[in-house]
Amino acid sequence: MRALIPTWDWHTIFVAPWTTDFAIYGWIFLMGFLVCAACGLAGNYLILRRMALVGDAISHSVLPGLAIAFLAANAWRTGMAAEVNGMVDTGGQEPGMIHGFAMFTGAMVAGVVTTLMIEIIHKHTRIKQDAAIGITFSTLFALGVVLISVYADKVDLDADCVLHGEIAFVSIQPFFSLSGVEIAPASVVLMGLVAILTLGLIVVFYKELLVSSFDPGLASSMGIHAGFVHYALMCWLSVIVVSAFEAVGAILVIAMLILPGATASMLSTRFPVVLSLSLLHAAVSSILGLHLAIWLNSSTAGSMVVAGAGLFGLVWLFSPSQGLLRRWVWLRKNKRSALQAESLHPPYGC
Amino acid sequence: MTSDPNIEAVRSSSGPLSMRWTQGLSDAEIPLEIHDLTVAYHHKPVLYGVDLAIPPGKLIGVIGPNGAGKSTLIKSIMGLLPTDSGWVRLFGKPNKKNLGRVGYVPQRESVDWDFPVNVMDVVMMGRYGKLGLFRRPGKKDRSIAAACLEKVHMMPFADRQIANLSGGQQQRVFLARALAQESDLYLMDEPFAGVDAATESSIIDLLHTLRKEGKTILVVHHDLPTARNYFDMLILLNMRVVDFGPTKEVFTYEKLQKTYGGRLTILSEVADAVRQTKA
Amino acid sequence: MQVQAGRIGEITEITAWDQALRFFSFKDPALRYALAGAILLGLNCGLLGSFLVVRKLSLVGDTISHAVLPGVAAGFLWNMEKDPLAIFVGATMAGLLGSFMVSRLTATTKLKEDTALGMVLAGFFGLGICLVTMIQRLPTGNKSGIDKFLFGQAASLGGSDIYLMASVAFLTFGLVWIFYKELLTVSFDAGFAHCVKIPVSWFHHGFMLLLAFSVVIALQAVGVVLVSAMLITPAATAYLMTDRLHRMVFFACLAGMLAGAMGAFFSFLGHQLPTGPFMVLSAAALFVFAFFLAPRHGIILRWWARRSRSGRVRRENTLKAVFHALEQDGFRREGVTFMTLSKLRRQTLEETETASQELRQAGFATLPPGEKAVYLTPEGMRRAQTIVRNHRLWELYLTDAANYPPDHVHDDAEEIEHVLGEDLVRQLERQLNFADHDPHGKPIPTPEQMVSLHGQDKSASTGSLGYAKPS
């Protein structure tokens, strides 16, 4: 046990990351925050539309999309190379660009395919949506894992990265430079762009998103195509998931998607407030997670999730409207055996 | 069961409303007795201080506006919901001890009709209470289930998967299942919802037959005009019991208005229904 | 099967065919264990998965399978080695805690069930990942093989793992067998189950415990991430194959075991192929098969049935109209003009002609050229009588036995007449004491009168239908 939990050292855990090692941890924190923020913002809509587990499905099924995209990009590049007889510049930005483009296309296609498959299974048979989600994402994920292991030499993805990613890699990445000025590590720039775009899209299409999430019927009467909004959201979700993929992996993404929104919704019922609270949750959980990871020398993304879950736990206890504490006080005040009787309540409301 | 002094004290303190129709009956003869029942969802009371004692051999309707707690009442009688106060007794015993004497017809929407069972399987479930754990249904149970299906004219459909039935047929399957329980008190949650007029009248006939056999039937009903003709007694419910008594006494404009509050569309319906009564 | 692959690498240039032959010789002990493990896992997951799918709890399986990860890590930490029992206990407890958290979250907050499931899934998994990375950074941890729990490694299954799997499978099978009727009732209608004195919450928690057991034993073979696939996909396949729960459970076990065996086989063919994902893909292949070809719920057969049924209903409706036209005339004439028919069916002349052509193609009618009229063949006449008979019997049944008002029954009969089978018709006849008139007072054609208009049977003219021989 002592070997497992390193000694508590205030300086290395809390001071050093923000002073001497800021060049490393600053970027890690920023990346973590950007991932949590982009995911958290989009996740609010998933929660609102009761599609939290569709988010889970998409985060798993981008894997085969990515694998196929990498394979296709590689094939295309080697094809190009053969065509111009080895004249292609193998260094520089070119392959990265191709890979990046392929990656996003692959992810978006995977997102749409997942959504379509779930719908087809759900609509054409009597299988319910939950089972349809389960079948779709597990199959696609298995396909992804098989592709990765069969073409291990051609696909630059390893199993660990798929499961929990590694945020710390951002600090050793080459910087993205614009006209000679080095700005930030490439994936931080990318994630930043995605996060800002997410915020921008939410601001611009605030009313369309809200109405179509709340009441698709009303949305269509207002001339908003609810089906289109649905697919657009799924597409954008895939983009977010794929940009976060390297940092947090396929499964922890789901935590980043749901935890901020769920925590925020325990504290407020007004949607704009919920959106800003989920940003706050993203920031706090990435700072706390970072320190936790430094202390325990554990996976950074995993620690951020643990921190986020811890925050949720606190809110669950102390939320003024639905907190356990308030509930307990209420039960005490009423002096009634509600808790005991609740054990009869069919679990999961079924 | 001999009477509990606490319960006696409660009875003497509660108003004349609750005990009015069961005077002179012994505990075991009263099919259903509820005292001070309060049920809350998310801190909001849905039923509040409900007091009721129901006489045997009657067909009783429970009516009230949407959200009045009609289904909640049925579920709490069954002990399906956490109660915040009060107790429910069935034939003189606490509800959980005497569930074997209750037949239950839940709302049709409460189950998944795509479930892979056929009509006979569902009706057979009614026998499980008598069977207990470990025992499997035998020939006798099968013939009882078949007889119950015959009573609701569903025998030709015994092998059908339940999704391939119309709404009225599904409701009759539920009814057959309750009949297979061979109970003395039946609790039915909206058995007429989504049912065509013909099935509705055949169900009512069946309920009248049951009542003639001495069974007590409590039916949640939402259609006011028909409520007047169907039931011997009515419970007007809106979070509390507004009134309980023979239909003729209870089905009046003032009492219905008190139950339904200021809901205008329903009020005009009430007015129509009352006018029909007078005509 | 990395262990396998290591050994196979030494045998140079082995072809897939030789490898397949090696598979079926079952000589390799590692393969035998892997195969037995995969089959046991398929059986176990099929048994429990069926109940998950019909109760709409599929993703609870997914959540529990992710939630066991911290328990696996904790079980490992217990004595710093891969002790199957410690890991089993730890993982089961974590799984149960996860399921408990979901029910607490949905009961005490306004969060919806999907959100609660997702949070527990991801939160527990995050914790598990933290612990796993911490263990891997320990000096002893790197060799622990704990990361194998993420994707599973069927090839590393040993004798003790198989005994554990077999005993859990046996326990699950026994409990499902003993408590089948209770599980059925609780799954179908928990409120009613309570009413027939079945301890619903006991069954629920017991089921969750079994589920946690099964997830844990499946971990080594398919890994945390893909266990849920083995729970859901075979059961969903079975759900499409049948309409009774006990058959569904049987099919789900079959599909699960088949998927397990196929996964073991395919991953054996090449090297470095993981078994778990191949099992999942095999299960998915079986699902696709059922999706298209299942007897009643497969989309191809359903599409085909709908097509042929709508064609049949259309033809039968035309036949019925021809019969009604003939009946109105007292069966004096043999043919019905398109004009009469189109008036009766409220169709345009073209539509009537098309409908009549359909009858001709099916061999129910002849359309003599230049006459613009339909003549029923003996076969067509028989079918027309049958359909009218079904319609009128059903109307009578509804009014007599089911107490429908007579003005109410026609539409219902319109739909039913096409689907009544022989047995049902006979049952109806018996119940109606072989009545001969429908509630509207029209005669019901009886089997004895089921004759052609071409007069092989004289009794036709004396029947209650009273149709005369055509002049």
Side-chain angles (χ1 to χ4, degrees):
Chain A
M1 263 310 151
R2 196 168 301 146
L4 188 72
I5 299 172
T7 44
W8 176 269
D9 179 354
W10 173 262
H11 185 81
T12 30
I13 295 169
F14 280 103
V15 183
W18 304 104
T19 50
T20 46
D21 298 334
F22 187 69
I24 301 169
Y25 291 114
W27 291 126
I28 296 180
F29 160 71
L30 187 61
M31 185 66 183
F33 169 69
L34 287 173
V35 169
C36 288
C39 289
L41 285 175
N44 272 309
Y45 289 96
L46 290 183
I47 294 173
L48 207 61
R49 300 164 85 101
R50 306 204 181 165
M51 281 170 37
L53 292 165
V54 178
D56 184 25
I58 285 187
S59 67
H60 281 77
S61 53
V62 293
L63 185 64
L66 273 183
I68 291 173
F70 272 131
L71 286 176
N74 275 336
W76 190 69
R77 250 172 64 211
T78 40
M80 284 271 292
E83 226 167 74
V84 287
N85 233 345
M87 296 275 284
V88 174
D89 178 15
T90 44
Q93 298 282 343
E94 198 62 20
M97 287 282 284
I98 296 172
H99 267 158
F101 180 71
M103 204 170 80
F104 282 115
T105 321
M108 286 219 259
V109 171
V112 172
V113 166
T114 313
T115 320
L116 267 174
M117 269 173 76
I118 294 173
E119 262 187 35
I120 288 173
I121 295 177
H122 174 50
K123 287 214 174 119
H124 288 271
T125 68
R126 56 178 176 167
I127 289 173
K128 303 290 175 297
Q129 203 196 8
D130 63 331
I133 291 175
I135 294 169
T136 306
F137 84 76
S138 57
T139 304
L140 288 175
F141 191 73
L143 185 68
V145 175
V146 166
L147 283 176
I148 288 177
S149 48
V150 171
Y151 298 101
D153 47 336
K154 290 184 196 140
V155 181
D156 181 26
L157 282 170
D158 69 79
D160 278 358
C161 166
V162 169
L163 283 169
H164 50 86
E166 193 42 88
I167 272 188
F169 284 153
V170 291
S171 55
I172 52 168
Q173 258 183 358
F175 275 46
F176 177 81
S177 49
L178 198 65
S179 55
V181 188
E182 291 192 333
I183 305 172
S187 49
V188 175
V189 174
L190 184 68
M191 199 65 230
L193 276 177
V194 170
I196 290 168
L197 263 172
T198 308
L199 189 64
L201 286 171
I202 288 178
V203 170
V204 174
F205 296 109
Y206 181 79
K207 123 180 141 284
E208 283 80 2
L209 278 168
L210 195 62
V211 171
S212 70
S213 305
F214 180 67
D215 184 352
L218 178 67
S220 12
S221 75
M222 288 163 66
I224 302 167
H225 196 303
F228 177 76
V229 175
H230 179 70
Y231 277 92
L233 191 66
M234 291 301 113
C235 258
W236 189 246
L237 191 66
S238 320
V239 168
I240 295 174
V241 167
V242 81
S243 359
F245 201 85
E246 204 179 348
V248 297
I251 299 169
L252 293 179
V253 160
I254 180 72
M256 312 288 188
L257 282 170
I258 303 177
L259 279 174
T263 313
S265 71
M266 299 275 287
L267 291 171
S268 171
T269 47
R270 291 195 48 239
F271 198 60
V273 182
V274 169
L275 281 178
S276 3
L277 279 175
S278 52
L279 282 179
L280 183 68
H281 178 276
V284 176
S285 65
S286 39
I287 291 180
L288 288 180
L290 182 64
H291 290 303
L292 195 66
I294 296 169
W295 174 36
L296 296 174
N297 192 15
S298 60
S299 151
T300 321
S303 307
M304 285 178 177
V305 171
V306 171
L311 280 181
F312 174 81
L314 285 180
V315 170
W316 190 16
L317 276 177
F318 298 113
S319 155
S321 56
Q322 340 175 18
L324 285 178
L325 201 65
R326 192 196 128 100
R327 194 184 148 82
W328 183 73
V329 168
W330 184 81
L331 289 174
R332 280 290 298 261
K333 211 166 60 190
N334 283 270
K335 285 190 181 164
R336 276 158 184 181
S337 55
L339 265 181
Q340 178 220 334
E342 208 173 54
S343 59
L344 262 172
H345 198 351
Y348 306 133
C350 61
Chain B
M1 202 176 183
T2 51
S3 45
D4 184 324
N6 285 334
I7 291 171
E8 284 307 316
V10 160
R11 277 183 186 158
S12 54
S13 72
S14 56
L17 178 71
S18 66
M19 295 302 296
R20 193 168 146 203
W21 309 105
T22 52
Q23 266 159 13
L25 291 170
S26 74
D27 270 3
E29 281 171 326
I30 303 175
L32 171 66
E33 193 181 349
I34 301 174
H35 174 67
D36 185 34
L37 182 72
T38 301
V39 179
Y41 276 136
H42 284 292
H43 309 192
K44 269 187 212 143
V46 184
L47 287 176
Y48 197 85
V50 170
D51 276 307
L52 270 177
I54 282 173
K58 293 274 192 269
L59 177 54
I60 299 162
V62 181
I63 57 173
N66 286 336
K70 291 173 293 192
S71 294
T72 309
L73 178 67
I74 297 282
K75 285 184 185 149
S76 335
I77 295 173
M78 302 268 309
L80 280 173
L81 290 178
T83 52
D84 293 286
S85 78
W87 46 253
V88 177
R89 285 157 67 96
L90 303 165
F91 300 100
K93 286 188 197 165
N95 54 352
K96 273 160 211 164
K97 297 229 170 102
N98 229 353
L99 276 176
R101 295 183 69 178
V102 180
Y104 177 44
V105 178
Q107 279 187 14
R108 198 152 51 84
E109 302 87 69
S110 69
V111 302
D112 170 19
W113 289 94
D114 281 335
F115 201 92
V117 284
N118 66 18
V119 168
M120 197 52 163
D121 291 335
V122 176
V123 178
M124 203 56 113
M125 285 176 198
R127 300 300 305 157
Y128 292 171
K130 295 266 188 292
L131 281 172
L133 294 175
F134 304 113
R135 280 199 12 236
R136 279 171 198 257
K139 241 187 194 142
K140 186 182 149 234
D141 299 296
R142 254 177 271 280
S143 65
I144 291 174
C148 294
L149 267 182
E150 198 57 66
K151 274 185 204 160
V152 296
H153 309 298
M154 285 292 290
M155 202 51 205
F157 301 95
D159 294 331
R160 279 258 189 116
Q161 202 266 325
I162 52 174
N164 304 323
L165 298 173
S166 70
Q169 290 169 334
Q170 291 177 341
Q171 199 66 63
R172 280 188 275 159
V173 172
F174 265 3
L175 218 60
R177 181 177 71 171
L179 291 179
Q181 288 183 274
E182 298 185 322
S183 320
D184 301 311
L185 169 67
Y186 287 92
L187 304 174
M188 305 189 176
D189 202 346
E190 304 246 2
F192 304 116
V195 160
D196 56 283
T199 309
E200 185 162 331
S201 71
S202 77
I203 292 178
I204 273 294
D205 287 346
L206 188 73
L207 297 186
H208 284 284
T209 324
L210 281 175
R211 184 192 49 188
K212 266 181 219 139
E213 293 166 12
K215 320 275 189 192
T216 313
I217 308 146
L218 201 67
V219 179
V220 169
H221 194 57
H222 65 279
D223 184 41
L224 269 180
T226 51
R228 187 178 50 100
N229 302 323
Y230 284 172
F231 302 110
D232 306 330
M233 299 179 85
L234 285 178
I235 297 169
L236 302 186
L237 191 74
N238 192 352
M239 207 163 92
R240 295 163 156 280
V241 175
V242 178
D243 206 348
F244 170 50
T247 309
K248 271 182 209 144
E249 283 181 32
V250 174
F251 203 85
T252 63
Y253 187 81
E254 293 72 30
K255 284 179 177 165
L256 288 172
Q257 194 185 31
K258 215 170 136 195
T259 314
Y260 282 83
R263 294 170 209 220
L264 283 175
T265 48
I266 296 170
L267 269 186
S268 62
E269 205 180 299
V270 173
D272 277 353
V274 172
R275 214 173 298 132
Q276 277 174 24
T277 325
K278 282 176 182 159
Chain C
M1 281 194 174
Q2 265 117 37
V3 171
Q4 210 65 49
R7 228 168 322 115
I8 293 157
E10 294 157 22
I11 313 164
T12 47
E13 295 300 311
I14 190 157
T15 63
W17 176 247
D18 292 336
Q19 192 66 353
L21 286 180
R22 270 190 68 200
F23 180 87
F24 287 110
S25 69
F26 302 113
K27 276 185 188 138
D28 208 319
L31 166 70
R32 280 208 299 269
Y33 283 136
L35 188 62
I39 290 177
L40 282 173
L41 182 152
L43 171 75
N44 211 10
C45 288
L47 277 170
L48 295 176
S50 308
F51 292 98
L52 283 183
V53 167
V54 295
R55 287 180 68 181
K56 292 179 258 181
L57 293 179
S58 303
L59 294 168
V60 173
D62 188 35
T63 303
I64 290 186
S65 67
H66 284 74
V68 296
L69 190 60
V72 170
F76 180 82
L77 285 174
W78 182 253
N79 49 10
M80 295 313 264
E81 61 173 24
K82 219 177 105 185
D83 174 1
L85 194 67
I87 289 178
F88 183 78
V89 172
T92 306
M93 278 163 60
L96 284 181
L97 188 65
S99 129
F100 174 75
M101 288 283 278
V102 173
S103 59
R104 284 293 80 200
L105 274 172
T106 41
T108 62
T109 68
K110 285 177 188 164
L111 293 174
K112 298 292 172 287
E113 196 197 347
D114 63 329
T115 310
L117 284 171
M119 276 197 333
V120 169
L121 180 157
F124 273 63
F125 194 76
L127 183 64
I129 286 293
C130 275
L131 289 173
V132 168
T133 46
M134 281 156 75
I135 289 172
Q136 278 176 330
R137 276 161 205 169
L138 293 179
T140 51
N142 215 6
K143 298 186 289 291
S144 66
I146 191 168
D147 53 328
K148 295 290 178 292
F149 282 97
L150 294 173
F151 285 120
Q153 196 180 44
S156 68
L157 289 176
S160 59
D161 297 312
I162 297 297
Y163 286 128
L164 192 61
M165 289 175 95
S167 36
V168 170
F170 184 73
L171 179 74
T172 314
F173 186 81
L175 288 176
V176 169
W177 179 265
I178 295 172
F179 294 113
Y180 175 75
K181 78 179 196 301
E182 284 78 17
L183 281 170
L184 168 69
T185 316
V186 171
S187 312
F188 177 62
D189 187 346
F192 187 81
H194 174 82
C195 180
V196 292
K197 294 185 290 186
I198 294 170
V200 176
S201 47
W202 274 100
F203 270 95
H204 183 83
H205 296 304
F207 185 81
M208 286 298 153
L209 182 67
L210 269 187
L211 186 64
F213 278 170
S214 317
V215 164
V216 174
I217 60 157
L219 286 185
Q220 291 218 8
V222 289
V224 169
V225 189
L226 291 173
V227 175
S228 59
M230 289 307 286
L231 283 168
I232 303 169
T233 315
T237 310
Y239 190 40
L240 293 178
M241 301 292 289
T242 173
D243 276 340
R244 302 287 295 280
L245 187 65
H246 59 274
R247 287 190 203 129
M248 177 178 163
V249 174
F250 174 75
F251 280 127
C253 293
L254 213 62
M257 292 195 287
L258 198 59
M262 280 162 72
F265 175 70
F266 286 119
S267 64
F268 193 74
L269 286 187
H271 39 169
Q272 291 210 335
L273 296 183
T275 314
F278 270 102
M279 284 169 69
V280 175
L281 288 181
S282 310
L286 292 176
F287 175 77
V288 170
F289 188 74
F291 179 75
F292 286 109
L293 293 170
R296 274 165 74 183
H297 301 284
I299 61 167
I300 289 187
L301 288 177
R302 257 195 0 201
W303 174 79
W304 182 251
R306 197 182 310 139
R307 228 188 89 120
S308 60
R309 192 174 60 222
S310 65
R312 206 185 85 208
V313 168
R314 224 174 24 244
R315 280 199 300 276
E316 288 182 350
N317 283 340
T318 321
L319 275 176
K320 203 170 62 178
V322 174
F323 186 91
H324 283 157
L326 293 171
E327 193 183 40
Q328 273 174 10
D329 271 359
F331 297 96
R332 275 188 294 279
R333 237 167 302 187
E334 200 179 337
V336 177
T337 59
F338 289 158
M339 192 60 91
T340 327
L341 203 55
S342 69
K343 268 184 202 144
L344 210 62
R345 297 220 62 194
R346 295 189 185 85
Q347 283 174 326
T348 62
L349 268 177
E350 288 80 45
E351 280 168 343
T352 311
E353 265 195 76
T354 331
S356 311
Q357 286 293 347
E358 278 179 0
L359 283 189
R360 190 180 58 83
Q361 277 160 15
F364 291 147
T366 51
L367 310 172
E371 266 203 57
K372 290 203 171 289
V374 191
Y375 289 83
L376 289 185
T377 61
E379 177 61 27
M381 192 62 201
R382 210 168 290 138
R383 281 299 286 274
Q385 283 175 328
T386 311
I387 199 76
V388 171
R389 175 177 170 73
N390 286 353
H391 181 97
R392 292 182 182 165
L393 272 175
W394 188 252
E395 283 189 341
L396 194 62
Y397 172 75
L398 289 180
T399 42
D400 272 24
N403 294 321
Y404 276 54
D407 55 336
H408 222 274
V409 293
H410 180 77
D411 294 339
D412 204 354
E414 254 331 270
E415 285 166 28
I416 297 288
E417 66 193 20
H418 303 288
V419 294
L420 284 179
E422 287 282 318
D423 303 351
L424 210 55
V425 169
R426 234 163 276 141
Q427 254 180 337
L428 281 175
E429 283 168 353
R430 229 174 298 124
Q431 200 163 2
L432 298 168
N433 295 323
F434 301 94
D436 49 12
H437 282 75
D438 78 354
H440 310 293
K442 287 193 180 156
I444 297 172
T446 59
E448 297 81 56
Q449 297 155 347
M450 297 266 180
V451 288
S452 75
L453 277 171
H454 301 286
Q456 286 97 332
D457 190 343
K458 309 288 182 212
S459 71
S461 52
T462 59
S464 56
L465 281 171
Y467 51 86
K469 276 196 76 174
S471 52

